Amino acid sequence: MVMTIREATFKLLRQLGLTTIFGNPGSTEETFLKDFPKDFRYIHTLHEASAVGAADGYAQATRRPALVNLHTSAGVCNAMSNILSARMNQTPLIITAGNQTREMLLMEPWLTNVQPAELPKPWVKWSYEPVRAEDVPAAFMRAYAMALQPPAGPVFLSIPLDDWDKPAMGEPVARCVAPRIGPDPERIAKFADVLSKAKNPALIYGAAIARGNGWKQAIALAEKLNAPVWAAPASERPPFPEDHPLYAGGLPFAIGPLAKKLDGHDVAIVIGAPVFRYYPYVKGPYIPEKLHLLHISDDPEETGRAPVGDSMLCDAVLALEALEARVKARTSAPKVKKQAQRMAPQPAAPEPCQCNMLTALELFKTLHEATPDETVLVVESPSNLGELHAAWPVKLPDTLYTFASGSLGWNLPASVGIALAERDSGRNRPVLAIIGDGSMQYSVQGLWTAAQLELPILFVIPKNSEYAILKSFAALEKTTGVPGLDLPGLDLVSLARGYGCEALRIENADGVRKACAQAFKRSGPTLLEVPILPTIPSLL
């Protein structure tokens, strides 16, 4: 009996360990999904962006590629915000979508993806629609290799709906690729020499260290150099324990203020992050005048666009190991003034209020005290990140996730993928997602998937009824009278209950503590709406 394209593809996916598919089904995907294999699992989301976000969280938490199935051009358009985030998160995703029947493509019938390879650009590493149905299995293999090789990221395949029942050319060919690149021997030796001769070096660590499970190596290099460690600006994964004596804080994400933080250092090395991630424009030099900057990344786009510094392409963790083996140990004390914040706006003073409403800082301190040390925190609450980081220093690896893009709507579905990975792996750590009331609206339908999968996620919504982060920008940019910055009339408890979650409105610290104790005992998700005093944080 001749093997079909569908059979050959599913056989390849088994060999690659891709038996979980995140998706939202459509007409052009049903020919792929029909007679769905019993050894595969379909994670159903109600929106394509949620499918990509959940797959992103799952891939990050398992450190393996994940497979997403979207609906032709319409689904790809719906998913673009989280495809953007996956690209900047450097998450290996294989994103597929159906297309219309090949015989009709020339006429561009309804739901045709007219330019399938172009549509998801520039936020995928590679995109392709096979020229022949027979090429589909091999295209999946190439997609897997492209997604996994550094820098990891999403790739896209468009597959006409009539390809799947056509005969395959033979057995699918599975192969493996290396997901890491090592250092150039001469250049790593030079970098080590520069660090060894430095009088006051600084280490700037990025999220690639966390993605590579490199906290141990990061600590070893820092302790041998006895040098302060800064988190790169707006780092999406903490690269270093924040209770370590050498941790200095997070660098600000603006040009002038960042250079001021590095003033006094003669050498600084950025490992596993861009140089640098900025947001508001504050003029100044990129680095202090007398600072020699070194840069290590596995992403040639990051090394190519860096405005200053000497760069090297290399896996972040391999670079840490190579440097630690080569640098000379330092005994002199590091010279740096520690700061409280990690990678976020400074905590703001609450606006005057005669009520007993919790502040964001009080809420986050209560949550930290009421949850286990190994709790996995997933964050998308831009207006009170300063308070969160002040209340919740990250002490264990893989216990905080956020997104590198700034595009809202990632956190809620990503927490679903992370919680699913916790259950699949047997770690079963509690998952706490903190989401602003405005941010929540970008992917609210992800609550339904959490409920259907019976994942014990605790969603906490600090409700300030405004886009406070935008009010912060308005203050910085002196743009008064901007409309649409307030969010009246949102009933988050009713929304969550409508999607099948347990939901409560809590207004005091004792209620938060009790709700936390109950939430992690449930078999499904819990949402807490907690009104907080509104603040306008300083961006810098």
Side-chain angles (χ1 to χ4, degrees):
M1 186 175 178
V2 178
M3 186 184 304
T4 66
I5 297 296
R6 184 192 308 102
E7 291 167 339
T9 300
F10 276 109
K11 189 171 185 178
L12 175 67
L13 294 176
R14 286 187 187 94
Q15 294 172 353
L16 297 176
L18 297 172
T19 57
T20 295
I21 301 176
F22 297 83
N24 178 258
S27 56
T28 53
E29 292 69 49
E30 288 183 327
T31 51
F32 168 57
L33 298 172
K34 77 173 187 178
D35 299 326
F36 197 67
K38 293 182 179 180
D39 59 329
F40 277 66
R41 176 175 58 174
Y42 188 80
I43 304 300
H44 185 191
T45 67
L46 299 181
H47 190 275
E48 287 90 348
S50 289
V52 174
D56 187 334
Y58 189 78
Q60 288 200 53
T62 59
R63 290 192 170 91
R64 290 183 50 81
L67 180 59
V68 188
N69 186 234
L70 307 179
H71 178 43
T72 190
S73 53
V76 176
C77 290
N78 282 338
M80 279 302 294
S81 64
N82 278 340
I83 294 175
L84 155 66
S85 292
R87 181 68 179 96
M88 295 192 68
N89 291 343
Q90 295 193 5
T91 304
L93 298 182
I94 301 170
I95 301 169
T96 66
N99 204 352
Q100 265 288 4
T101 307
R102 283 187 185 270
E103 291 184 3
M104 296 197 297
L105 285 177
L106 182 61
M107 299 178 290
E108 298 182 10
W110 209 30
L111 294 177
T112 298
N113 194 342
V114 178
Q115 296 185 24
E118 296 300 314
L119 182 60
K121 292 180 179 178
W123 301 116
V124 293
K125 290 181 62 182
W126 179 65
S127 58
Y128 186 64
E129 183 174 271
V131 177
R132 310 177 300 165
E134 292 84 355
D135 294 331
V136 168
F140 268 89
M141 185 61 246
R142 180 172 174 181
Y144 179 87
M146 293 292 291
L148 194 58
Q149 291 180 120
V155 297
F156 176 72
L157 288 178
S158 171
I159 304 163
L161 65 86
D162 57 326
D163 282 4
W164 296 106
D165 287 329
K166 293 179 179 177
M169 295 177 66
E171 291 289 326
V173 177
R175 56 194 182 91
C176 62
V177 294
R180 307 167 79 190
I181 52 175
D184 172 78
E186 292 184 8
R187 200 154 181 82
I188 198 72
K190 180 179 179 181
F191 278 23
D193 184 59
V194 172
L195 285 168
S196 296
K197 292 178 180 178
K199 295 181 180 179
N200 187 22
L203 301 171
I204 302 169
Y205 287 164
I209 292 171
R211 287 194 296 269
N213 197 23
W215 272 33
K216 178 181 177 181
Q217 294 88 338
I219 293 168
L221 178 61
E223 291 181 347
K224 188 170 184 180
L225 284 174
N226 199 23
V229 174
W230 297 89
S235 183
E236 63 274 18
R237 300 270 299 271
F240 194 78
E242 295 172 2
D243 60 341
H244 193 284
L246 290 173
Y247 182 68
L251 290 174
F253 56 178
I255 296 171
L258 187 151
K260 288 182 180 179
K261 290 293 182 184
L262 297 178
D263 194 31
H265 293 290
D266 56 342
V267 175
I269 185 166
V270 180
I271 302 177
V275 177
F276 286 102
R277 185 172 286 154
Y278 301 121
Y279 193 18
Y281 175 68
V282 181
K283 67 179 180 180
Y286 290 112
I287 55 175
E289 183 179 354
K290 297 181 180 180
L291 176 69
H292 185 182
L293 186 71
L294 308 175
H295 180 212
I296 297 176
S297 170
D298 67 359
D299 185 348
E301 291 187 5
E302 286 185 356
T303 59
R305 68 173 178 261
V308 291
D310 301 328
S311 295
M312 176 175 64
L313 282 172
C314 180
D315 175 86
V317 180
L318 292 179
L320 290 168
E321 293 172 348
L323 288 171
E324 195 273 333
R326 290 167 172 80
V327 297
K328 295 179 180 178
R330 297 176 71 253
T331 57
S332 56
K335 302 173 184 178
V336 66
K337 183 178 179 181
K338 288 175 72 71
Q339 65 171 7
Q341 73 148 352
R342 172 165 70 239
M343 50 183 173
Q346 293 281 8
E351 296 176 1
C353 180
Q354 302 301 316
C355 59
N356 294 318
M357 198 177 292
L358 290 171
T359 66
L361 185 61
E362 289 170 339
L363 171 61
F364 298 146
K365 284 183 176 179
T366 302
L367 288 169
H368 191 213
E369 294 166 358
T371 52
D373 291 341
E374 69 272 16
T375 297
V376 180
L377 190 60
V378 194
V379 180
E380 190 175 300
S381 189
S383 61
N384 42 51
L385 284 178
E387 290 89 342
L388 179 63
H389 298 330
W392 200 303
V394 176
K395 302 177 182 180
L396 298 172
D398 298 336
T399 55
L400 185 140
Y401 295 82
T402 187
F403 54 110
S405 67
S407 180
L408 299 178
W410 177 87
N411 170 285
L412 199 156
S415 66
V416 173
I418 290 167
L420 183 63
E422 286 296 318
R423 187 162 70 189
D424 286 356
S425 67
R427 292 187 300 258
N428 292 312
R429 296 178 299 174
V431 175
L432 168 61
I434 297 178
I435 313 173
D437 51 345
S439 297
M440 177 189 171
Q441 308 313 312
Y442 288 78
S443 56
V444 64
Q445 67 286 129
L447 293 172
W448 179 84
T449 304
Q452 293 298 306
L453 294 173
E454 297 185 338
L455 296 170
I457 305 168
L458 175 58
F459 296 99
V460 176
I461 316 299
K463 186 178 181 182
N464 58 11
S465 299
E466 62 183 4
Y467 291 126
I469 193 69
L470 296 183
K471 292 185 178 182
S472 298
F473 261 90
L476 179 72
E477 297 167 345
K478 298 180 174 60
T479 52
T480 59
V482 177
L485 302 188
D486 293 308
L487 297 171
L490 287 175
D491 184 349
L492 308 179
V493 170
S494 294
L495 285 172
R497 288 175 178 169
Y499 282 112
C501 299
E502 182 74 22
L504 303 164
R505 179 184 173 94
I506 304 292
E507 298 183 353
N508 57 65
D510 284 341
V512 171
R513 293 186 191 97
K514 292 177 183 177
C516 288
Q518 295 168 355
F520 294 131
K521 296 178 182 178
R522 292 195 179 99
S523 59
T526 303
L527 182 139
L528 304 184
E529 176 189 317
V530 185
I532 60 170
L533 283 171
T535 62
I536 307 301
S538 169
L539 285 174
L540 302 172

